[in-house]
Amino acid sequence: MLTIGKLGKAAGVKVPTIRYYEQIELLPEPERSAGNQRLYGQSALDRLAFIRHARELGFPLDAIRDLLSLSDEPDQSCAAADVIAKKQLTAVKARIARLMALKAELERMIAQCAQGTVADCRVIEVLSDHSHCAQDHRTSGAAE
Amino acid sequence: MLTIGKLGKAAGVKVPTIRYYEQIELLPEPERSAGNQRLYGQSALDRLAFIRHARELGFPLDAIRDLLSLSDEPDQSCAAADVIAKKQLTAVKARIARLMALKAELERMIAQCAQGTVADCRVIEVLSDHSHCAQDHRTSGAAE
DNA sequence: GTAAGGTCTCTAGTAGCTATAGCTTCAAGA
DNA sequence: TCTTGAAGCTATAGCTACTAGAGACCTTAC
């Protein structure tokens, strides 16, 4: 059994964040010790690590709730799971596409910023110029 | 001269966000029309487009402030901007890698759903496993 | 000249945490 | 066994980066 601090370290999540997740019911209420301290098992660690990674990937907590429900209710109808999975897959694909474009842009920036002075460094120039964009982000929905 | 709405459209930034950036002094106070409406020129558009792109790349506003100040002092070394860009590139690459893993798992689930079973959902497994991480995010600073 | 729609300021709300205060519990050493 | 210092508890407030109203004013097209 892990205390909240150990759990946080194991999952890479800060203690107050864990309590916050419990408050918004993303994590179930854990057991308590005789002295009222939270005690967690392996499943809580898995769940928290999942949340952490999904957050890093930019998923809002609502989407994470959806994803968690896929494993929380393994017997739910395939149709429901399918809808959630497809919706998230669409989001994931869009996110990958946009990140690829951003990666290319960053690499170009770094290549152009070859150890000179800002006078020849085009970092800012590149980042202010829409024409360098691989895709038109002005029409894309709010992704972050 | 552009009104705030035109500027927002041109840069892909919402009107209240522009006013917010002015309030926190990321954008200088613009000229005003006789009727007190904001009027912007090309330099404001460049600056705003830069901010927009940098935000998309995951730079926090403080880092953007730094980058903008670098461009105001063009004799400084480019190294600082380069370091920030490289750090962001690393983060972007790691995100792409993990999104690819999630995408594969979602696709697997959807394929299985088509066959009528959802019993062994491994979405959490895929994203809860630290070993899939490209880098040890547990020590990295806040990425977002 | 009037109607629609853009813009103004101001305040308040949002997501997702993060920090602080003031207290209690736990574990390890003397 | 006592103590002491870290870790935990609740509750509340604050943070970043916006976003959404309300209610009034400006601009433009017919």
Side-chain angles (χ1 to χ4, degrees):
Chain A
M1 282 298 183
L2 299 164
T3 59
I4 197 169
K6 302 273 170 58
L7 178 72
K9 235 163 215 166
V13 175
K14 286 173 186 159
V15 167
T17 305
I18 297 173
R19 290 196 277 248
Y20 169 71
Y21 287 162
E22 181 185 324
Q23 188 189 307
I24 63 170
E25 297 183 321
L26 215 50
L27 291 176
E29 287 185 20
E31 293 180 49
R32 298 283 183 140
S33 71
N36 199 37
Q37 300 195 349
R38 289 169 181 82
L39 291 176
Y40 299 92
Q42 183 63 39
S43 68
L45 176 52
D46 287 347
R47 196 178 176 91
L48 185 56
F50 168 81
I51 295 168
R52 161 78 201 250
H53 287 130
R55 283 296 298 136
E56 279 197 337
L57 295 174
F59 288 96
L61 292 181
D62 278 353
I64 294 171
R65 224 183 275 274
D66 270 2
L67 284 168
L68 284 170
S69 78
L70 284 179
S71 71
D72 284 346
E73 297 152 56
D75 294 330
Q76 72 184 316
S77 83
C78 254
D82 191 66
V83 164
I84 294 168
K86 277 187 174 148
K87 186 176 147 214
Q88 293 306 324
L89 179 59
T90 302
V92 168
K93 280 180 174 170
R95 201 162 274 277
I96 288 172
R98 193 157 140 266
L99 278 171
M100 298 288 244
L102 300 180
K103 175 171 167 282
E105 195 168 341
L106 271 174
E107 278 167 345
R108 187 173 43 242
M109 278 174 57
I110 290 165
Q112 286 181 354
C113 185
Q115 307 303 326
T117 61
V118 177
D120 6 295
C121 171
R122 304 186 55 229
V123 165
I124 283 152
E125 201 179 316
V126 165
L127 263 194
S128 66
D129 189 351
H130 273 305
S131 70
H132 287 288
C133 297
Q135 1 170 233
D136 184 6
H137 50 63
R138 273 161 289 183
T139 61
S140 70
E144 211 133 349
Chain B
M1 283 300 185
L2 300 163
T3 60
I4 196 168
K6 301 274 170 56
L7 178 72
K9 236 165 215 166
V13 175
K14 285 172 186 161
V15 166
T17 305
I18 297 172
R19 290 197 277 249
Y20 169 72
Y21 286 162
E22 181 184 326
Q23 187 189 308
I24 62 170
E25 296 183 325
L26 262 190
L27 291 176
E29 286 183 22
E31 294 179 48
R32 298 284 182 139
S33 71
N36 199 37
Q37 301 196 348
R38 290 170 180 82
L39 291 176
Y40 298 92
Q42 183 62 39
S43 69
L45 177 53
D46 287 347
R47 198 176 175 92
L48 184 56
F50 169 80
I51 295 169
R52 162 77 202 250
H53 287 128
R55 285 294 299 134
E56 281 199 337
L57 293 171
F59 292 94
L61 291 182
D62 277 353
I64 294 170
R65 220 185 280 273
D66 284 353
L67 284 169
L68 285 170
S69 79
L70 277 178
S71 82
D72 293 341
E73 295 162 57
D75 290 334
Q76 269 187 312
S77 168
C78 185
D82 188 67
V83 163
I84 296 170
K86 278 184 174 150
K87 189 177 150 211
Q88 290 300 319
L89 179 59
T90 303
V92 166
K93 281 179 175 170
R95 281 190 192 190
I96 289 172
R98 262 181 282 123
L99 278 171
M100 298 290 234
L102 179 57
K103 174 171 169 281
E105 180 56 19
L106 283 171
E107 277 166 346
R108 194 193 65 83
M109 283 185 55
I110 290 166
Q112 206 175 57
C113 254
Q115 295 167 4
T117 48
V118 76
D120 66 331
C121 168
R122 290 192 287 134
V123 165
I124 286 192
E125 249 172 83
V126 166
L127 269 194
S128 67
D129 190 351
H130 276 305
S131 70
H132 289 183
C133 298
Q135 44 168 184
D136 184 6
H137 48 65
R138 272 161 291 185
T139 60
S140 71
E144 206 139 349

